[in-house]
Amino acid sequence: MTRITTGLALAFAAASSHAHGGHGHAGAHWHATDTFGLLLVGALAAAAIWLARK
């Protein structure tokens, strides 16, 4: 089950990174949703660390 989940996660991550030109290894640009997602992940990680300490 873990292999299937990991494989699907990698497949979706790879597919979404080529949404349109400017994404990927060659060059990158940011959208507002990219920034919001990054901030959300950071906030969730901070919350998880905070709750794990208690």
Side-chain angles (χ1 to χ4, degrees):
M1 184 66 167
T2 303
R3 290 178 124 181
I4 293 171
T5 305
T6 303
L8 287 174
L10 290 173
F12 286 126
S16 66
S17 68
H18 298 290
H20 61 272
H23 288 273
H25 298 292
H29 61 266
W30 286 82
H31 298 278
T33 53
D34 297 333
T35 303
F36 177 74
L38 184 61
L39 290 173
L40 181 62
V41 168
L44 290 173
I49 291 169
W50 178 266
L51 292 172
R53 294 185 338 164
K54 293 187 176 201

